[in-house]
Amino acid sequence: TQLLEQSPQFLSIQEGENLTVYCNSSSVFSSLQWYRQEPGEGPVLLVTVVTGGEVKKLKRLTFQFGDARKDSSLHITAAQTGDTGLYLCAGARSGGSNYKLTFGKGTLLTVNP
Amino acid sequence: AAGVIQSPRHLIKEKRETATLKCYPIPRHDTVYWYQQGPGQDPQFLISFYEKMQSDKGSIPDRFSAQQFSDYHSELNMSSLELGDSALYFCASSLGRTRTREQFFGPGTRLTVL
């Protein structure tokens, strides 16, 4: 059972369209991080959300952490071909020494010209 | 800004051989994490170290071991390699046990076992 359910798994859109990627869990996370990964490369950190209800913006990307800190979303406005890539959400669990990240399966985004 | 350095970037080994992967964290970062990512899979946590002590353990096979040295770099030692060990191995580093748990990943080592 995947602790973090990410949807959709694949997304193909035209340049200029908007999109939203969802990351859901039944568990509470102390923080949730969004990464973007290119083939064969390491995940690159886009943003970290910590507080329930928090909204962070990174240019055309808007990240939201759910009030209960169990879910998150990534919204991209006016997608560009350069946004193509694998988007991963990853949660850090609350409490103890459990600092490992648990990843979702990822959303492979293709933005067509 | 300095990033996480991993070496080698690519490694080809035969079955039953051993391999050593190295990770140099971002300067002043004291925590190192190792992840394994199979083809089409999400990264899976293997093991982590904080201040040179093992802090957490995930799905790391008994054939693998790791340590963090006094200069905070870490090495992942893999013995009796199997075909299924072929994967991308990532090292990530973070600054202490911060509330955000922000981890910064290296470029990875692609291990191919023949």
Side-chain angles (χ1 to χ4, degrees):
Chain A
T1 303
Q2 191 74 10
L3 187 63
L4 268 174
E5 296 291 338
Q6 201 171 331
S7 62
Q9 190 175 354
F10 300 97
L11 191 55
S12 180
I13 61 171
Q14 295 299 123
E15 199 169 24
E17 291 184 351
N18 302 331
L19 66 113
T20 302
V21 176
Y22 299 93
C23 186
N24 297 302
S25 176
S26 57
S27 299
V28 175
F29 292 100
S30 58
S31 68
L32 197 138
Q33 293 158 42
W34 285 92
Y35 291 87
R36 179 176 156 182
Q37 185 177 25
E38 300 296 331
E41 300 292 328
V44 175
L45 181 64
L46 296 175
V47 79
T48 300
V49 286
V50 178
T51 306
E54 183 177 7
V55 176
K56 280 191 174 179
K57 291 193 174 184
L58 185 66
K59 295 183 181 178
R60 293 175 295 100
L61 279 59
T62 302
F63 304 86
Q64 186 164 6
F65 203 13
D67 291 341
R69 291 186 291 132
K70 293 181 180 181
D71 53 81
S72 181
S73 64
L74 157 60
H75 182 79
I76 301 179
T77 303
Q80 300 175 356
T81 55
D83 295 327
T84 294
L86 178 67
Y87 291 82
L88 293 160
C89 64
R93 298 290 295 280
S94 301
S97 65
N98 200 354
Y99 294 89
K100 65 183 180 184
L101 289 178
T102 299
F103 282 84
K105 288 292 186 187
T107 294
L108 185 59
L109 172 65
T110 303
V111 182
N112 303 297
Chain B
V4 177
I5 297 172
Q6 290 188 247
S7 68
R9 292 294 312 275
H10 303 273
L11 192 57
I12 299 175
K13 291 286 185 178
E14 299 279 341
K15 274 180 13 179
R16 292 180 288 278
E17 286 190 323
T18 61
T20 297
L21 278 54
K22 296 185 178 182
C23 168
Y24 298 86
I26 291 172
R28 292 186 299 280
H29 279 193
D30 50 18
T31 308
V32 168
Y33 310 80
W34 286 96
Y35 293 84
Q36 178 191 58
Q37 186 176 30
Q41 303 294 317
D42 54 292
Q44 296 293 315
F45 172 74
L46 294 178
I47 195 167
S48 64
F49 294 87
Y50 169 66
E51 284 290 347
K52 292 150 280 183
M53 298 285 290
Q54 182 181 309
S55 58
D56 214 341
K57 196 171 183 180
S59 51
I60 184 169
D62 292 340
R63 300 176 289 107
F64 295 5
S65 65
Q67 57 181 329
Q68 186 180 31
F69 295 85
S70 57
D71 63 351
Y72 295 102
H73 94 273
S74 178
E75 294 183 1
L76 177 65
N77 299 293
M78 312 159 73
S79 62
S80 303
L81 287 168
E82 302 174 355
L83 296 178
D85 296 328
S86 295
L88 273 167
Y89 290 84
F90 293 108
C91 170
S93 74
S94 67
L95 178 60
R97 295 186 173 185
T98 61
R99 181 171 174 235
T100 61
R101 272 62 156 178
E102 278 189 335
Q103 295 181 25
F104 297 88
F105 282 73
T109 294
R110 180 176 293 280
L111 172 66
T112 303
V113 182
L114 303 175

